[in-house]
Every structure is written in structure tokens, then in C-alpha cells.
Short mmCIF file of all heavy atoms in Angstrom, two decimals:
data_model
loop_
_atom_site.label_atom_id
_atom_site.label_comp_id
_atom_site.label_asym_id
_atom_site.label_seq_id
_atom_site.Cartn_x
_atom_site.Cartn_y
_atom_site.Cartn_z
N MET A 1 10.38 -11.38 -25.52
CA MET A 1 9.63 -10.33 -24.85
C MET A 1 8.72 -10.97 -23.80
O MET A 1 8.01 -11.92 -24.07
CB MET A 1 8.81 -9.56 -25.88
CG MET A 1 8.05 -8.41 -25.30
SD MET A 1 6.99 -7.65 -26.52
CE MET A 1 7.75 -6.08 -26.67
N LYS A 2 8.76 -10.41 -22.59
CA LYS A 2 7.94 -10.95 -21.50
C LYS A 2 6.49 -10.50 -21.60
O LYS A 2 6.20 -9.41 -22.08
CB LYS A 2 8.49 -10.46 -20.16
CG LYS A 2 9.55 -11.32 -19.57
CD LYS A 2 9.81 -10.89 -18.16
CE LYS A 2 10.74 -11.85 -17.48
NZ LYS A 2 10.97 -11.50 -16.10
N ASP A 3 5.63 -11.32 -21.11
CA ASP A 3 4.22 -10.99 -21.01
C ASP A 3 4.05 -9.90 -19.94
O ASP A 3 4.50 -10.09 -18.80
CB ASP A 3 3.45 -12.26 -20.63
CG ASP A 3 1.99 -11.99 -20.34
OD1 ASP A 3 1.39 -11.13 -21.01
OD2 ASP A 3 1.44 -12.66 -19.44
N PRO A 4 3.42 -8.76 -20.27
CA PRO A 4 3.27 -7.67 -19.30
C PRO A 4 2.56 -8.10 -18.01
O PRO A 4 2.95 -7.68 -16.92
CB PRO A 4 2.45 -6.62 -20.04
CG PRO A 4 2.67 -6.91 -21.48
CD PRO A 4 2.89 -8.40 -21.57
N GLN A 5 1.55 -8.94 -18.12
CA GLN A 5 0.83 -9.40 -16.92
C GLN A 5 1.75 -10.22 -16.02
O GLN A 5 1.72 -10.09 -14.80
CB GLN A 5 -0.41 -10.21 -17.31
CG GLN A 5 -1.24 -10.65 -16.14
CD GLN A 5 -1.82 -9.47 -15.35
OE1 GLN A 5 -2.15 -8.44 -15.92
NE2 GLN A 5 -1.92 -9.62 -14.05
N ARG A 6 2.57 -11.03 -16.64
CA ARG A 6 3.51 -11.85 -15.87
C ARG A 6 4.54 -10.96 -15.16
O ARG A 6 4.90 -11.21 -14.01
CB ARG A 6 4.21 -12.86 -16.77
CG ARG A 6 5.10 -13.79 -15.99
CD ARG A 6 5.61 -14.90 -16.82
NE ARG A 6 6.43 -15.76 -16.00
CZ ARG A 6 7.14 -16.75 -16.44
NH1 ARG A 6 7.13 -17.04 -17.72
NH2 ARG A 6 7.87 -17.48 -15.63
N GLU A 7 5.00 -9.91 -15.84
CA GLU A 7 5.94 -8.97 -15.23
C GLU A 7 5.33 -8.30 -14.00
O GLU A 7 5.99 -8.13 -12.98
CB GLU A 7 6.37 -7.91 -16.23
CG GLU A 7 7.41 -8.39 -17.22
CD GLU A 7 7.92 -7.26 -18.07
OE1 GLU A 7 7.25 -6.95 -19.07
OE2 GLU A 7 8.97 -6.70 -17.72
N VAL A 8 4.07 -7.92 -14.12
CA VAL A 8 3.37 -7.29 -12.99
C VAL A 8 3.28 -8.27 -11.82
O VAL A 8 3.54 -7.90 -10.67
CB VAL A 8 1.97 -6.80 -13.40
CG1 VAL A 8 1.14 -6.39 -12.19
CG2 VAL A 8 2.08 -5.64 -14.38
N GLU A 9 2.93 -9.50 -12.09
CA GLU A 9 2.83 -10.51 -11.04
C GLU A 9 4.18 -10.76 -10.37
O GLU A 9 4.26 -10.90 -9.15
CB GLU A 9 2.24 -11.81 -11.59
CG GLU A 9 0.80 -11.70 -12.05
CD GLU A 9 -0.14 -11.21 -10.97
OE1 GLU A 9 0.02 -11.61 -9.79
OE2 GLU A 9 -1.04 -10.40 -11.28
N GLU A 10 5.25 -10.81 -11.16
CA GLU A 10 6.59 -11.00 -10.60
C GLU A 10 6.99 -9.82 -9.73
O GLU A 10 7.58 -9.99 -8.66
CB GLU A 10 7.61 -11.20 -11.72
CG GLU A 10 7.48 -12.53 -12.42
CD GLU A 10 8.40 -12.66 -13.62
OE1 GLU A 10 9.16 -11.71 -13.93
OE2 GLU A 10 8.35 -13.72 -14.27
N LEU A 11 6.66 -8.61 -10.17
CA LEU A 11 6.96 -7.41 -9.39
C LEU A 11 6.20 -7.41 -8.07
O LEU A 11 6.76 -7.14 -7.01
CB LEU A 11 6.62 -6.17 -10.20
CG LEU A 11 6.97 -4.83 -9.59
CD1 LEU A 11 8.47 -4.71 -9.37
CD2 LEU A 11 6.47 -3.70 -10.46
N ARG A 12 4.93 -7.76 -8.11
CA ARG A 12 4.12 -7.83 -6.89
C ARG A 12 4.69 -8.84 -5.90
O ARG A 12 4.67 -8.63 -4.69
CB ARG A 12 2.68 -8.20 -7.21
CG ARG A 12 1.90 -7.08 -7.77
CD ARG A 12 0.47 -7.48 -7.98
NE ARG A 12 -0.29 -6.37 -8.52
CZ ARG A 12 -1.41 -6.48 -9.17
NH1 ARG A 12 -1.94 -7.68 -9.38
NH2 ARG A 12 -2.03 -5.43 -9.62
N ALA A 13 5.20 -9.95 -6.40
CA ALA A 13 5.75 -10.98 -5.53
C ALA A 13 7.09 -10.56 -4.92
O ALA A 13 7.43 -10.99 -3.83
CB ALA A 13 5.92 -12.29 -6.32
N ALA A 14 7.82 -9.69 -5.61
CA ALA A 14 9.16 -9.34 -5.17
C ALA A 14 9.25 -8.05 -4.35
O ALA A 14 10.21 -7.85 -3.62
CB ALA A 14 10.07 -9.21 -6.39
N VAL A 15 8.25 -7.18 -4.47
CA VAL A 15 8.32 -5.86 -3.84
C VAL A 15 7.37 -5.77 -2.65
O VAL A 15 6.21 -6.15 -2.74
CB VAL A 15 7.99 -4.76 -4.87
CG1 VAL A 15 7.95 -3.40 -4.22
CG2 VAL A 15 8.98 -4.78 -6.01
N ASN A 16 7.88 -5.23 -1.56
CA ASN A 16 7.07 -5.01 -0.37
C ASN A 16 6.44 -3.62 -0.45
O ASN A 16 7.14 -2.61 -0.43
CB ASN A 16 7.96 -5.13 0.87
CG ASN A 16 7.17 -4.99 2.14
OD1 ASN A 16 6.54 -3.97 2.39
ND2 ASN A 16 7.22 -6.01 2.98
N CYS A 17 5.12 -3.55 -0.57
CA CYS A 17 4.42 -2.28 -0.72
C CYS A 17 4.69 -1.32 0.43
O CYS A 17 4.84 -0.12 0.21
CB CYS A 17 2.91 -2.51 -0.82
SG CYS A 17 2.40 -3.30 -2.34
N ALA A 18 4.75 -1.82 1.64
CA ALA A 18 4.98 -0.96 2.80
C ALA A 18 6.32 -0.25 2.69
O ALA A 18 6.43 0.95 2.98
CB ALA A 18 4.91 -1.79 4.08
N THR A 19 7.34 -0.94 2.23
CA THR A 19 8.66 -0.34 2.07
C THR A 19 8.62 0.76 1.01
O THR A 19 9.19 1.84 1.20
CB THR A 19 9.70 -1.41 1.68
OG1 THR A 19 9.73 -2.39 2.70
CG2 THR A 19 11.07 -0.81 1.50
N VAL A 20 7.94 0.52 -0.09
CA VAL A 20 7.83 1.52 -1.15
C VAL A 20 7.13 2.77 -0.62
O VAL A 20 7.58 3.89 -0.86
CB VAL A 20 7.07 0.95 -2.37
CG1 VAL A 20 6.78 2.03 -3.39
CG2 VAL A 20 7.86 -0.18 -2.99
N LEU A 21 6.05 2.60 0.14
CA LEU A 21 5.32 3.75 0.68
C LEU A 21 6.18 4.56 1.64
O LEU A 21 6.18 5.79 1.60
CB LEU A 21 4.05 3.28 1.39
CG LEU A 21 2.98 2.68 0.50
CD1 LEU A 21 1.87 2.08 1.35
CD2 LEU A 21 2.42 3.71 -0.46
N GLU A 22 6.92 3.88 2.49
CA GLU A 22 7.74 4.57 3.49
C GLU A 22 8.92 5.30 2.86
O GLU A 22 9.41 6.28 3.41
CB GLU A 22 8.21 3.57 4.55
CG GLU A 22 7.06 3.09 5.41
CD GLU A 22 7.41 1.93 6.32
OE1 GLU A 22 8.60 1.54 6.38
OE2 GLU A 22 6.50 1.41 6.98
N LYS A 23 9.38 4.85 1.69
CA LYS A 23 10.50 5.49 1.00
C LYS A 23 10.05 6.58 0.03
O LYS A 23 10.87 7.30 -0.52
CB LYS A 23 11.31 4.44 0.22
CG LYS A 23 11.89 3.35 1.07
CD LYS A 23 13.09 3.81 1.83
CE LYS A 23 13.68 2.63 2.59
NZ LYS A 23 14.71 3.00 3.50
N ALA A 24 8.75 6.69 -0.21
CA ALA A 24 8.21 7.68 -1.16
C ALA A 24 8.45 9.10 -0.64
O ALA A 24 8.68 9.32 0.54
CB ALA A 24 6.72 7.45 -1.36
N THR A 25 8.38 10.07 -1.55
CA THR A 25 8.52 11.47 -1.18
C THR A 25 7.26 12.20 -1.57
O THR A 25 6.93 12.23 -2.74
CB THR A 25 9.73 12.11 -1.90
OG1 THR A 25 10.88 11.34 -1.62
CG2 THR A 25 9.94 13.52 -1.48
N PRO A 26 6.52 12.81 -0.66
CA PRO A 26 6.66 12.68 0.78
C PRO A 26 6.25 11.28 1.24
O PRO A 26 5.44 10.63 0.58
CB PRO A 26 5.70 13.73 1.34
CG PRO A 26 4.69 13.95 0.28
CD PRO A 26 5.38 13.65 -1.03
N PRO A 27 6.81 10.83 2.35
CA PRO A 27 6.54 9.45 2.80
C PRO A 27 5.12 9.26 3.33
O PRO A 27 4.51 10.18 3.84
CB PRO A 27 7.56 9.24 3.91
CG PRO A 27 7.83 10.61 4.44
CD PRO A 27 7.71 11.53 3.26
N TRP A 28 4.64 8.06 3.17
CA TRP A 28 3.38 7.66 3.79
C TRP A 28 3.72 7.23 5.21
O TRP A 28 4.73 6.59 5.45
CB TRP A 28 2.77 6.49 3.03
CG TRP A 28 2.28 6.88 1.67
CD1 TRP A 28 3.03 6.97 0.54
CD2 TRP A 28 0.95 7.21 1.30
NE1 TRP A 28 2.25 7.35 -0.52
CE2 TRP A 28 0.97 7.50 -0.07
CE3 TRP A 28 -0.25 7.30 2.00
CZ2 TRP A 28 -0.19 7.87 -0.77
CZ3 TRP A 28 -1.39 7.66 1.30
CH2 TRP A 28 -1.35 7.95 -0.06
N LEU A 29 2.86 7.57 6.15
CA LEU A 29 3.09 7.23 7.56
C LEU A 29 2.12 6.15 8.01
O LEU A 29 0.91 6.24 7.73
CB LEU A 29 2.95 8.47 8.43
CG LEU A 29 3.89 9.64 8.07
CD1 LEU A 29 3.55 10.85 8.91
CD2 LEU A 29 5.33 9.23 8.25
N LEU A 30 2.63 5.17 8.70
CA LEU A 30 1.81 4.08 9.21
C LEU A 30 0.90 4.58 10.32
O LEU A 30 1.35 5.23 11.26
CB LEU A 30 2.70 2.95 9.74
CG LEU A 30 1.97 1.75 10.35
CD1 LEU A 30 1.11 1.04 9.31
CD2 LEU A 30 2.99 0.80 10.95
N ASP A 31 -0.39 4.31 10.20
CA ASP A 31 -1.36 4.65 11.23
C ASP A 31 -1.49 3.40 12.11
O ASP A 31 -2.23 2.48 11.81
CB ASP A 31 -2.70 5.00 10.60
CG ASP A 31 -3.74 5.43 11.61
OD1 ASP A 31 -3.62 5.09 12.81
OD2 ASP A 31 -4.70 6.11 11.21
N ARG A 32 -0.72 3.37 13.18
CA ARG A 32 -0.68 2.17 14.04
C ARG A 32 -2.03 1.87 14.69
O ARG A 32 -2.38 0.72 14.87
CB ARG A 32 0.40 2.34 15.10
CG ARG A 32 1.79 2.34 14.49
CD ARG A 32 2.87 2.33 15.56
NE ARG A 32 4.18 2.51 14.99
CZ ARG A 32 4.92 1.53 14.48
NH1 ARG A 32 4.47 0.31 14.48
NH2 ARG A 32 6.10 1.79 13.98
N LYS A 33 -2.79 2.90 15.05
CA LYS A 33 -4.09 2.69 15.69
C LYS A 33 -5.08 2.00 14.76
O LYS A 33 -5.89 1.19 15.20
CB LYS A 33 -4.69 4.04 16.12
CG LYS A 33 -4.08 4.64 17.33
CD LYS A 33 -4.76 5.95 17.61
CE LYS A 33 -4.73 6.34 19.05
NZ LYS A 33 -5.41 7.61 19.28
N GLU A 34 -5.03 2.33 13.48
CA GLU A 34 -5.98 1.79 12.52
C GLU A 34 -5.47 0.53 11.81
O GLU A 34 -6.18 -0.04 10.99
CB GLU A 34 -6.33 2.86 11.47
CG GLU A 34 -7.07 4.05 12.03
CD GLU A 34 -8.50 3.71 12.41
OE1 GLU A 34 -9.15 2.93 11.70
OE2 GLU A 34 -8.96 4.25 13.43
N SER A 35 -4.25 0.12 12.10
CA SER A 35 -3.66 -1.05 11.45
C SER A 35 -3.83 -2.30 12.32
O SER A 35 -4.04 -2.21 13.52
CB SER A 35 -2.16 -0.81 11.22
OG SER A 35 -1.96 0.25 10.33
N SER A 36 -3.72 -3.44 11.66
CA SER A 36 -3.73 -4.72 12.37
C SER A 36 -2.56 -5.54 11.86
O SER A 36 -1.81 -5.10 10.97
CB SER A 36 -5.04 -5.47 12.13
OG SER A 36 -5.12 -5.90 10.79
N GLU A 37 -2.41 -6.74 12.36
CA GLU A 37 -1.31 -7.61 11.94
C GLU A 37 -1.39 -7.94 10.45
O GLU A 37 -0.39 -8.06 9.77
CB GLU A 37 -1.34 -8.90 12.76
CG GLU A 37 -0.18 -9.80 12.50
CD GLU A 37 -0.22 -11.03 13.39
OE1 GLU A 37 -0.50 -10.89 14.59
OE2 GLU A 37 0.02 -12.13 12.86
N ARG A 38 -2.60 -8.06 9.93
CA ARG A 38 -2.79 -8.48 8.54
C ARG A 38 -3.11 -7.34 7.59
O ARG A 38 -3.21 -7.55 6.38
CB ARG A 38 -3.90 -9.52 8.48
CG ARG A 38 -3.56 -10.73 9.36
CD ARG A 38 -4.57 -11.79 9.24
NE ARG A 38 -4.40 -12.41 7.94
CZ ARG A 38 -5.19 -13.31 7.44
NH1 ARG A 38 -6.24 -13.70 8.11
NH2 ARG A 38 -4.97 -13.84 6.26
N CYS A 39 -3.31 -6.14 8.10
CA CYS A 39 -3.72 -5.01 7.28
C CYS A 39 -3.09 -3.73 7.81
O CYS A 39 -3.39 -3.32 8.93
CB CYS A 39 -5.24 -4.92 7.31
SG CYS A 39 -5.89 -3.59 6.31
N LEU A 40 -2.22 -3.12 7.02
CA LEU A 40 -1.53 -1.90 7.43
C LEU A 40 -2.19 -0.70 6.75
O LEU A 40 -2.42 -0.73 5.54
CB LEU A 40 -0.05 -1.95 7.06
CG LEU A 40 0.73 -3.13 7.59
CD1 LEU A 40 2.15 -3.12 7.02
CD2 LEU A 40 0.76 -3.12 9.10
N LYS A 41 -2.46 0.33 7.52
CA LYS A 41 -3.10 1.52 6.98
C LYS A 41 -2.08 2.66 7.00
O LYS A 41 -1.55 3.01 8.05
CB LYS A 41 -4.32 1.89 7.81
CG LYS A 41 -5.17 2.98 7.21
CD LYS A 41 -6.45 3.12 8.01
CE LYS A 41 -7.48 3.95 7.31
NZ LYS A 41 -8.74 3.98 8.07
N TYR A 42 -1.83 3.24 5.82
CA TYR A 42 -0.89 4.35 5.68
C TYR A 42 -1.65 5.61 5.30
O TYR A 42 -2.63 5.56 4.57
CB TYR A 42 0.15 4.04 4.60
CG TYR A 42 1.21 3.09 5.06
CD1 TYR A 42 1.03 1.72 4.97
CD2 TYR A 42 2.40 3.56 5.59
CE1 TYR A 42 2.01 0.84 5.40
CE2 TYR A 42 3.39 2.69 6.03
CZ TYR A 42 3.19 1.34 5.92
OH TYR A 42 4.15 0.48 6.35
N ARG A 43 -1.15 6.74 5.82
CA ARG A 43 -1.76 8.04 5.52
C ARG A 43 -0.68 9.00 5.04
O ARG A 43 0.45 8.95 5.48
CB ARG A 43 -2.41 8.62 6.77
CG ARG A 43 -3.57 7.81 7.29
CD ARG A 43 -4.12 8.44 8.57
NE ARG A 43 -5.15 7.62 9.15
CZ ARG A 43 -6.44 7.69 8.84
NH1 ARG A 43 -6.86 8.57 7.96
NH2 ARG A 43 -7.30 6.90 9.43
N ARG A 44 -1.12 9.93 4.16
CA ARG A 44 -0.25 11.00 3.70
C ARG A 44 -1.15 12.15 3.27
O ARG A 44 -1.79 12.11 2.24
CB ARG A 44 0.59 10.54 2.51
CG ARG A 44 1.52 11.62 1.97
CD ARG A 44 2.29 11.15 0.80
NE ARG A 44 1.40 11.08 -0.37
CZ ARG A 44 1.82 10.78 -1.58
NH1 ARG A 44 3.06 10.47 -1.81
NH2 ARG A 44 0.97 10.74 -2.58
N GLY A 45 -1.22 13.18 4.07
CA GLY A 45 -2.06 14.32 3.75
C GLY A 45 -3.52 14.03 4.01
O GLY A 45 -3.93 12.92 4.34
N ALA A 46 -4.32 15.07 3.86
CA ALA A 46 -5.76 14.98 4.13
C ALA A 46 -6.45 14.06 3.13
O ALA A 46 -6.43 14.29 1.94
CB ALA A 46 -6.39 16.36 4.09
N GLY A 47 -7.03 12.98 3.64
CA GLY A 47 -7.81 12.08 2.80
C GLY A 47 -7.03 11.08 1.98
O GLY A 47 -7.60 10.29 1.26
N GLU A 48 -5.70 11.11 2.06
CA GLU A 48 -4.90 10.15 1.31
C GLU A 48 -4.63 8.94 2.19
O GLU A 48 -3.94 9.03 3.20
CB GLU A 48 -3.57 10.76 0.87
CG GLU A 48 -3.70 11.81 -0.21
CD GLU A 48 -2.35 12.26 -0.69
OE1 GLU A 48 -1.64 12.92 0.09
OE2 GLU A 48 -1.99 11.93 -1.83
N ILE A 49 -5.19 7.80 1.79
CA ILE A 49 -5.06 6.57 2.58
C ILE A 49 -4.71 5.43 1.63
O ILE A 49 -5.29 5.29 0.56
CB ILE A 49 -6.38 6.21 3.29
CG1 ILE A 49 -6.78 7.33 4.24
CG2 ILE A 49 -6.25 4.89 4.04
CD1 ILE A 49 -8.20 7.18 4.78
N VAL A 50 -3.75 4.61 2.03
CA VAL A 50 -3.41 3.39 1.30
C VAL A 50 -3.43 2.25 2.31
O VAL A 50 -2.89 2.36 3.40
CB VAL A 50 -2.02 3.48 0.63
CG1 VAL A 50 -1.63 2.15 0.03
CG2 VAL A 50 -2.02 4.56 -0.43
N ILE A 51 -4.07 1.15 1.93
CA ILE A 51 -4.15 -0.02 2.78
C ILE A 51 -3.30 -1.13 2.15
O ILE A 51 -3.47 -1.46 0.98
CB ILE A 51 -5.61 -0.47 2.95
CG1 ILE A 51 -6.40 0.65 3.62
CG2 ILE A 51 -5.68 -1.78 3.75
CD1 ILE A 51 -7.88 0.45 3.61
N VAL A 52 -2.40 -1.69 2.94
CA VAL A 52 -1.51 -2.76 2.47
C VAL A 52 -1.98 -4.07 3.11
O VAL A 52 -2.09 -4.16 4.32
CB VAL A 52 -0.04 -2.47 2.86
CG1 VAL A 52 0.87 -3.59 2.40
CG2 VAL A 52 0.41 -1.14 2.27
N THR A 53 -2.25 -5.07 2.27
CA THR A 53 -2.75 -6.36 2.75
C THR A 53 -1.94 -7.50 2.16
O THR A 53 -1.01 -7.28 1.39
CB THR A 53 -4.22 -6.55 2.34
OG1 THR A 53 -4.30 -6.55 0.93
CG2 THR A 53 -5.11 -5.47 2.93
N HIS A 54 -2.29 -8.71 2.48
CA HIS A 54 -1.71 -9.93 1.92
C HIS A 54 -0.20 -9.99 2.07
O HIS A 54 0.53 -10.17 1.11
CB HIS A 54 -2.08 -10.08 0.44
CG HIS A 54 -3.54 -10.10 0.19
ND1 HIS A 54 -4.34 -11.13 0.59
CD2 HIS A 54 -4.35 -9.19 -0.39
CE1 HIS A 54 -5.58 -10.87 0.25
NE2 HIS A 54 -5.62 -9.70 -0.33
N GLY A 55 0.29 -9.80 3.28
CA GLY A 55 1.72 -9.90 3.51
C GLY A 55 2.52 -8.85 2.77
O GLY A 55 3.61 -9.10 2.30
N ALA A 56 1.95 -7.66 2.61
CA ALA A 56 2.58 -6.52 1.94
C ALA A 56 2.74 -6.73 0.44
O ALA A 56 3.55 -6.08 -0.20
CB ALA A 56 3.90 -6.16 2.59
N ALA A 57 1.97 -7.63 -0.14
CA ALA A 57 2.06 -7.87 -1.57
C ALA A 57 0.95 -7.18 -2.35
O ALA A 57 0.97 -7.17 -3.56
CB ALA A 57 2.02 -9.37 -1.85
N ALA A 58 0.00 -6.57 -1.67
CA ALA A 58 -1.08 -5.88 -2.35
C ALA A 58 -1.34 -4.53 -1.69
O ALA A 58 -1.36 -4.43 -0.48
CB ALA A 58 -2.36 -6.72 -2.32
N CYS A 59 -1.52 -3.52 -2.52
CA CYS A 59 -1.82 -2.18 -2.02
C CYS A 59 -3.15 -1.73 -2.58
O CYS A 59 -3.42 -1.90 -3.77
CB CYS A 59 -0.75 -1.19 -2.47
SG CYS A 59 0.87 -1.49 -1.78
N LEU A 60 -3.97 -1.17 -1.76
CA LEU A 60 -5.26 -0.64 -2.17
C LEU A 60 -5.35 0.80 -1.75
O LEU A 60 -5.18 1.12 -0.58
CB LEU A 60 -6.39 -1.42 -1.50
CG LEU A 60 -6.34 -2.94 -1.61
CD1 LEU A 60 -7.35 -3.57 -0.67
CD2 LEU A 60 -6.61 -3.36 -3.04
N GLN A 61 -5.60 1.70 -2.70
CA GLN A 61 -5.73 3.10 -2.34
C GLN A 61 -7.20 3.42 -2.18
O GLN A 61 -8.02 3.10 -3.03
CB GLN A 61 -5.11 4.00 -3.38
CG GLN A 61 -5.14 5.45 -2.95
CD GLN A 61 -4.20 6.32 -3.75
OE1 GLN A 61 -3.63 5.89 -4.73
NE2 GLN A 61 -4.03 7.53 -3.33
N SER A 62 -7.51 4.04 -1.07
CA SER A 62 -8.88 4.43 -0.78
C SER A 62 -9.18 5.73 -1.50
O SER A 62 -8.62 6.78 -1.17
CB SER A 62 -9.04 4.59 0.73
OG SER A 62 -10.31 5.05 1.03
N LEU A 63 -10.03 5.69 -2.51
CA LEU A 63 -10.38 6.87 -3.28
C LEU A 63 -11.83 7.25 -3.04
O LEU A 63 -12.69 6.39 -2.95
CB LEU A 63 -10.18 6.62 -4.78
CG LEU A 63 -8.78 6.25 -5.22
CD1 LEU A 63 -8.77 5.86 -6.68
CD2 LEU A 63 -7.84 7.40 -4.98
N GLY A 64 -12.09 8.53 -2.95
CA GLY A 64 -13.46 8.99 -2.82
C GLY A 64 -14.08 8.81 -1.47
O GLY A 64 -15.26 9.02 -1.30
N GLN A 65 -13.33 8.38 -0.48
CA GLN A 65 -13.86 8.24 0.86
C GLN A 65 -13.30 9.35 1.74
O GLN A 65 -12.14 9.70 1.63
CB GLN A 65 -13.47 6.90 1.46
CG GLN A 65 -14.11 5.72 0.79
CD GLN A 65 -13.72 4.43 1.46
OE1 GLN A 65 -12.60 4.30 1.93
NE2 GLN A 65 -14.63 3.49 1.52
N LYS A 66 -14.16 9.88 2.58
CA LYS A 66 -13.69 10.91 3.50
C LYS A 66 -12.88 10.25 4.60
O LYS A 66 -13.20 9.19 5.09
CB LYS A 66 -14.86 11.65 4.10
CG LYS A 66 -15.58 12.52 3.09
CD LYS A 66 -16.56 13.41 3.77
CE LYS A 66 -17.18 14.32 2.73
NZ LYS A 66 -18.00 15.32 3.32
N ASP A 67 -11.78 10.91 4.97
CA ASP A 67 -10.93 10.43 6.03
C ASP A 67 -11.66 10.58 7.36
O ASP A 67 -12.30 11.58 7.61
CB ASP A 67 -9.63 11.23 6.03
CG ASP A 67 -8.56 10.60 6.88
OD1 ASP A 67 -8.70 9.42 7.23
OD2 ASP A 67 -7.58 11.30 7.18
N ARG A 68 -11.56 9.57 8.21
CA ARG A 68 -12.21 9.64 9.52
C ARG A 68 -11.26 10.17 10.55
O ARG A 68 -10.15 9.94 10.60
CB ARG A 68 -12.65 8.25 9.96
CG ARG A 68 -13.71 7.73 9.06
CD ARG A 68 -14.12 6.39 9.57
NE ARG A 68 -14.51 5.58 8.43
CZ ARG A 68 -15.18 4.49 8.56
NH1 ARG A 68 -15.54 4.04 9.70
NH2 ARG A 68 -15.51 3.80 7.50
#
């Protein structure tokens, strides 16, 4: 039996967060104006924001913040 933490780390290393977001239903859309080379900002609906960092290996969802 694999260690759950190790499985999560392996999944993070193998999966590109940006690809997962773009394939989701409904899809997240890249906000090109608010993104940079090292940090991609995705939006889906009012106030739904996800930031992808670290070479697309980490996703951070912005909760409780008003959309600008």
C-alpha cells in the first residue's frame, strides 16, 4: 500500500494544473492580462479565481476575495 502523501506528491509532479483547469466543465479561462510567465490566473464565473504557479505544478484557489 502506497503512502497517501507520496501519492499526492507524485500526482502533483505528473499533472499540469493548467491543463486540468482548461479541460474542466465548465472550463476555466486564462486571464492573459492578469497572468505572467511564472503565474497563470484562471477565471470561471463571478469571483472564481485559480492561480497556477511553480511551472503548473501548484494550484491555489482564491477564496473569500472579491474579484477585481
Side-chain angles (χ1 to χ4, degrees):
M1 183 186 246
K2 272 191 172 182
D3 173 35
Q5 183 62 34
R6 185 171 181 187
E7 282 187 276
V8 169
E9 294 303 321
E10 289 174 1
L11 185 62
R12 283 184 180 158
V15 176
N16 183 300
C17 290
T19 301
V20 172
L21 293 171
E22 291 170 5
K23 301 283 184 189
T25 305
W28 291 83
L29 302 174
L30 178 63
D31 183 338
R32 293 187 187 276
K33 284 180 153 180
E34 294 289 322
S35 296
S36 68
E37 185 177 316
R38 301 184 73 186
C39 181
L40 304 175
K41 189 172 193 175
Y42 283 86
R43 296 178 185 272
R44 180 182 74 176
E48 290 186 291
I49 300 169
V50 173
I51 298 169
V52 178
T53 62
H54 303 291
C59 294
L60 309 169
Q61 185 164 9
S62 176
L63 300 173
Q65 293 182 325
K66 291 190 176 188
D67 193 16
R68 295 182 211 195

